[in-house]
Amino acid sequence: MGRAGTGSGGATVAVAVAGPLLLMLLAGPPPAVAGDSRKSDVRLVSEHFSQSPQKLSFYSWYGSARLFHFRVPPDTVLLRWLLQVSRGSSPACANMEITVYFRYGAPPVINPLGTSFPANTSVQSPFFIKMLQSNASINISHPAPGDWFVAAHLPPSSQKIEVKGFAPTCAYIFQPDMLIVRAVEVFILEPNVPLPQTLLSHPSYLKIFIPEYTRELRLELQGCVSNGSLGCPVRLTVGSATLPRNFQKVLTCISPTWACHLFLPSPPGDRWLQVTAKSLAGPHVLVAFRAVAALTACRPWNLNSQHLLQSIPNQSCNASTGLLTPSPGCHGLGRSSRVDGGHFCLTAITNNTLVAVCVNAASPFLGFNTSLNCTTAFFQGHPLSLSATSRKADLIIPYPETDNWYLSLQLVCPESPEECEQASVLVETTLSLVPCLNDCGPYGQCLLLRRLSYLYAGCSCKAGWRGWSCTDNSTAQTVAQQRVATLLLTLSNLMFLAPIAVSVHRLLLVEASVYAYTMFFSTFYHACDQPGEAVLCILSYDTLQYCDFLGSGVSIWVTILCMARLKAAQKHVLFLLGTLIFAMSLQLDRRGAWNMMGPCLFAFVVMVTMWVYRCRYRRHCYPTSWQRWVFYLLPGISMAAVAIAIYTSMMTSDNYYYTHSIWHMLLAGSAAFLLPPREQHTKPWACSQKLICHYQICKNHREDLYTVT
């Protein structure tokens, strides 16, 4: 199905192969020059498809992977993926291992963290490669037409919480291109009509239409001669390549001593089946043969609820219910809708009987009499069984292929076949399509993801829960731990009562209002940010988060400006202007560190400028009191420095509840220490003299030249 080679860009690629699939070839020559035979074959055309590149992320959940969606046209004989990765030029841009997944029919089901899936989940190991350098290529011969998906991500992310703008970053840009070689001359193979073919140096491309409910397809080569002598050096490749598994069938005919034919049970119906004939003789040896296809049709016994309710008047059900009885021929439950999960249960069954169940995509399983493995011509189905000891069976299929899905059931009596002739078993079936299993449970959130016009969903987990549906509790927090974490993050905000009390006592009412705003929204934001049982949201999560970030930035802003000892008019203008700037910057990028640090640094420059001005004007250091420096400024500055260090470099996912609570307390405590003292000539809660000058404020705001204690 393919071959492996060396990339034109010298890429080093580690390939992980799912099952016996050995088709992947890395970095061979371009499709247009894949060989001398194709080079001059006018029956083939090349096409190129590209998508816009995406920035890769370190993996933490499914939304971290970047998904690309391609559509392979019919009659494609060769598919080549060209994978390119570009990275920035900063010192942080080291060689990084990039994992790329491929799948036909649906997005790949990946598990880089090695978490457990929910019980009764059917998961196939995805096909993937690990790129160690910037370029790689992969070839797939005779790919299945339709939807193909490529997903890529960087290695799993660390537990450290990085602050945007402080940690060194590097952008890794990934772009896959799809090159295809498509046959423009394809022969139609009609059932029971011999199709003469002649092979020399080029392969011959055929296709046959498979009607729905085809039970068996027989392909046979007749009258095969090679340069006038008996013999049949011909190889037929039947079907299309799919990933992660490949069920293509190959028929090789060399000796004429036996009939050369191929049987395919339950081929996919209502579609074209690709057949490629290639000569195994020399490059100048002529091979002639006739291809014959024969189809055996069989429509399964299709049950519906209306028929069953008429035959069982006392039975009420909200799902399809089937009465299984042994019948000759192809009987069982027929075509169903697309399915991502099923739930089957019995109401009556004997000890010596069981119900064999197969869930298949593309074609129903019709071979219960010979096998119970649910394997059709080109696909592996999902087997289930029901018995007297196991009356329920569940099946979960993440990201099912886009196709028709079939549910096949048959009553089996392995010990006494005669017993099945008199048996009658009632089976109830429930099928559902959901974006996330159980809505990701109490410790996860089902998020809708989009890549251009393609929509899909994934679970984002909290409280240490992991996995595809947030069901892996290997690192989960207990309910007691969750409640302790919630109490720490919320009650630590009560530390803001200290700067509120100090502000009110010193007649800094605007500052007190800002601290109260910050305390309120930080408390309820963290109460809403918790998973599971310990959660309380008084407003939408996004609103609470925005208000919390805004309050934190404005609190730092007003504290620094208050220390500058500006005139009242100047101070309040800057208060309002800074608040508006914070509101705008947080709307642009809520988590950008410099959106908050920039205005705060400006306020710090204003404060230093005013202090230097007073030092020069008074000709001694400002503030002048050593008690003010030792008991207020130095403790406040130390607490602020420790808070910044914790916020920028010490927080991880595991210690977030403790370190962030300490950040709350240090931030509030530093504000209480750094607030300037009350003006000596103003008594607490003293009212200013009455305005007697009509529209003019008569109070004289003196220059701030009094002694600070």
Side-chain angles (χ1 to χ4, degrees), residues 175-190:
Q175 179 176 5
D177 289 347
M178 184 179 74
L179 280 73
I180 62 103
V181 177
R182 182 169 54 87
V184 294
E185 181 180 321
V186 182
F187 298 97
I188 304 299
L189 183 59
E190 299 182 8

Side-chain angles (χ1 to χ4, degrees), residues 231-232 249 251-252 258 315 341 359 417 509 573 576 637 649 669 689:
C232 194
K249 299 299 188 295
L251 173 63
T252 303
W258 61 79
Q315 175 73 28
V359 180
L509 301 184
V573 167
L576 180 58
I637 294 173
S649 61
Q689 66 181 44

Side-chain angles (χ1 to χ4, degrees), residues 62 97 144 171 588:
Y62 197 85
E97 183 181 78
L588 294 175

